[in-house]
Every structure is written in C-alpha cells, then in structure tokens.
Amino acid sequence: MENKIISRENLVYKKPELMNDVPMHYCPGCSHGVVHKLIAEIVEEMGLEDKTVGICPVGCAVFAYRYLDIDWQEAAHGRAPAVATGIKRLWPDRLVFTYQGDGDLACIGTCETIHALNRGENIVIIFINNAIYGMTGGQMAPTTLMGQKTSTCPYGREPELHGYPLKITEMAAQLEGTCYVTRQSVETVAAIRGAKRAIRKAFEASMAGKGSSLVEIVSTCSSGWKMTPVDANKWMGENMFNYYPKGDLKDTI
C-alpha cells in the first residue's frame, strides 16, 4: 500500500474577513487598529455581519469605515449616540454601536452620551480615550491628565485654569440606563484578550435588550504625546491607569 503523507498546518493568525484589505493609515503604536480588529472578530463570531451598524463621528475614529466591511453611518461631531439611538429604535434587531474618541464623546458629545446612556438605549458606545485631540494637532481634551502637556496647555494642565480630567466612565456607571460599563486597554496580549471579552459582552447585552453599555479603551497617542510607541505604552502604564483604573465599573447583566 502506498504511504500517504498528510500535512497538517496549524493556523496561528488569520485576518478577520470583515477587515478590508487596505493600507492602515494610523500612526505607529496607535490603539485604533487593534480595536478595529477586535470588533471585526467579534461581529464574525456572533454571525452578525449583515446586521451590524457602526456610527462614527469626527476625529481619528471617523476612518473606521475604511477598515471594517459593515454598514456605517457618519455623524456630526459628538452626535453619534443620538444617531445610534434612531437607528436602533428603527431596527431593533441590529447590533448598533458608536466608535468615538475622548474629544468627541467627552466634550462636544457629552450631552448626547449621557442622555442616551441614561435612557437605556440598547446601543454600545466604544470610547477610545487617549487623553488628547489626536487628529487636529494634539490639543487638550476633557480627559487630559493633570500636568500633562498638550499644544493648548504647553505647561501642563492646571485645575485653576483648565479644570479637572473628566471621568466619563465613572459617570456612566451611575446612570440607571446602563447595564455594563467597563474600562480596558490593548497594549499587551492579555489586555487585548480582556478588551475582546468586554466588547463581546457589551454586544451580547445590546442584542438581548438589556440597556446601554460603555466600553472605554484607555489608549495611546504616540504622535500627540510626542513619544515613540514603546515610550507611549510605558507612559500610559505609569500615568493613565492611575487616574483611569481598568476593570468593570458596573455589571448588571
């Protein structure tokens, strides 16, 4: 009998099918690309490729539509939760999420964010917090840390002049309409796995009609911080996590 050799191949990595094959434009070390990949993986695993709608406003987050092959709707600056509310109410069987940065969500969009969460809209808000306006020149954001230097506070944020960093996620956890509020990051393999579990849990809660979820991803902005990707991750670990501690803040699921 002729011997047959069967070759077996161990799959180490596979690009999610929902990730478009286009060059990534984000700066080296940026967290956006990692979060995009997680969203694509989760949507595929849940089998919701044709029933997912993402809403992106202004800022670096707006380019998510280039990379994920799902339905997208752009929104005016800060208005993504309002747009998401309308879409989810019109199509309650859809997975509807917003993808927003800290300048968009926690500044011009504070009203829409708080009221959508307080109403318990069955949407998921993914909140990328890198404590700076990344796209428009590195200006101070509502989440900029005390003493942190930006183009509009070159000597560091001062409470008497600029107020205090806004802990939007802690605020969301106090609202009656939220069912799941968590803070994660994606700078290590372990952190990426934790962020994926959190986003998946939020998506499942949304589809089950359990209320609003907010997933904050504490992130880096190498260009805005004027650091290398390695130094940015180190600075985030030494500074950001102290003020924005990771973990679940509310879980009623």
Side-chain angles (χ1 to χ4, degrees), residues 33-81:
V34 179
V35 182
H36 290 358
K37 174 178 174 287
L38 295 182
I39 294 172
E41 289 179 346
I42 295 166
V43 171
E44 286 182 13
E45 291 167 4
M46 294 179 68
L48 296 174
E49 296 93 329
D50 297 327
K51 287 193 173 184
T52 299
V53 182
I55 296 90
C56 283
V58 177
C60 292
V62 72
F63 293 112
Y65 70 85
R66 295 180 57 185
Y67 305 111
L68 299 180
D69 187 17
I70 59 175
D71 289 328
W72 287 98
Q73 174 64 54
E74 291 189 47
H77 206 174
R79 313 309 184 214

Side-chain angles (χ1 to χ4, degrees), residues 211-248:
S212 303
S213 293
L214 174 68
V215 180
E216 175 183 347
I217 306 293
V218 181
S219 309
T220 59
C221 182
S222 304
S223 298
W225 294 357
K226 295 179 172 53
M227 299 179 186
T228 66
V230 172
D231 288 341
N233 273 335
K234 182 179 178 182
W235 191 90
M236 178 176 64
E238 294 175 348
N239 298 275
M240 293 280 283
F241 296 154
N242 292 331
Y243 196 82
Y244 301 112
K246 297 196 297 179
D248 292 349

Side-chain angles (χ1 to χ4, degrees), residues 123-238:
I123 62 173
V124 176
I125 294 178
I126 297 177
F127 169 33
I128 309 299
N129 177 15
N130 54 26
I132 204 169
Y133 280 83
M135 173 182 277
T136 55
Q139 299 92 337
M140 182 182 67
T143 54
T144 298
L145 299 178
M146 299 310 304
Q148 183 178 354
K149 297 179 180 180
T150 73
S151 62
T152 50
C153 56
Y155 300 105
R157 182 172 189 160
E158 302 176 10
E160 298 83 4
L161 184 60
H162 310 109
Y164 295 90
L166 187 60
K167 292 186 174 182
I168 196 75
T169 303
E170 278 79 357
M171 294 172 61
Q174 305 304 313
L175 302 175
E176 295 290 341
T178 54
C179 64
Y180 183 53
V181 179
T182 187
R183 180 181 286 126
Q184 304 290 328
S185 65
V186 292
E187 84 285 4
T188 65
V189 173
I192 291 171
R193 289 174 177 168
K196 182 176 180 178
R197 287 193 296 269
I199 296 172
R200 173 75 183 250
K201 187 171 185 176
F203 282 1
E204 290 175 344
S206 172
M207 295 304 290
K210 294 186 177 181
S212 303
S213 293
L214 174 68
V215 180
E216 175 183 347
I217 306 293
V218 181
S219 309
T220 59
C221 182
S222 304
S223 298
W225 294 357
K226 295 179 172 53
M227 299 179 186
T228 66
V230 172
D231 288 341
N233 273 335
K234 182 179 178 182
W235 191 90
M236 178 176 64
E238 294 175 348

